Amino acid sequence: VTKSRGDMRQACLDNLGTAKFPIFKAEVGMLDWNRRIPNDMKDQFDFVIGCDCAYYFPLVSPLARTVAYSLKSSPYDQKSNEQVIRGHFLHVGPQHRESITDLKHKLGKGYRMNTRMRDIVMERTDLIPLIIDSVDDVESQMKEAVEGEAGGYVEY
């Protein structure tokens, strides 16, 4: 089922509300990366967040262009001899996806943006079900399940 633009806009607003973000501080709209970025969006944003946007190789170049032109520029300060970083882009996606590396390369080489990649390690926890044979032995079975045979830690 394809959602209409209005449905997607409302879903974004609902997500902001669920996250307790003040909706009046947000502007939600549609943006086609394959078109030119509107002039009123150029050099405007301090921070752009994306999640799994570079999942398909043909999207990498339009995404990189949109991000590069919409972020506030980071000029080089002649007096301090340092670059003043004004715009940041955070993209979260799976490590194994090659297009994320392509996005980093395109932003770094194509748009001269400082880029770095970091891993966020997510752990998986499997719980062992506790099966109770009888009501009489509940306490001893729970103790055995928790302490394990060697009196060590429970595997969960």
Side-chain angles (χ1 to χ4, degrees), residues 6 23-24 26 52 62-63 67-68 71 91 99 101 103 107 123 128 135 147 152 156:
I23 294 175
F24 67 89
D52 207 13
L63 173 61
V67 167
L71 285 174
H91 181 265
S99 54
T101 304
L103 176 61
L107 290 170
E123 295 185 24
I128 298 173
V135 178
E147 292 180 359
Y156 65 95

Side-chain angles (χ1 to χ4, degrees), residues 27-109:
E27 183 178 332
V28 177
M30 298 295 291
L31 179 63
D32 183 351
W33 301 340
N34 290 309
R35 295 181 183 255
R36 283 188 141 173
I37 184 169
N39 285 334
D40 62 341
M41 286 184 60
K42 289 182 180 177
D43 197 34
Q44 291 298 307
F45 301 101
D46 295 312
F47 208 84
V48 173
I49 301 172
C51 183
D52 207 13
C53 296
Y55 60 89
Y56 182 56
F57 182 75
L59 296 176
V60 170
S61 287
L63 173 61
R65 182 184 64 243
T66 301
V67 167
Y69 284 116
S70 62
L71 285 174
K72 287 184 178 176
S73 60
S74 298
Y76 187 77
D77 185 9
Q78 299 278 338
K79 290 181 182 179
S80 68
N81 204 26
E82 292 181 8
Q83 188 173 15
V84 180
I85 306 297
R86 293 178 45 208
H88 299 273
F89 173 54
L90 171 65
H91 181 265
V92 179
Q95 179 184 19
H96 68 276
R97 190 158 291 143
E98 289 179 25
S99 54
I100 292 176
T101 304
D102 295 332
L103 176 61
K104 178 184 182 290
H105 180 75
K106 185 71 172 176
L107 290 170
K109 299 289 183 193

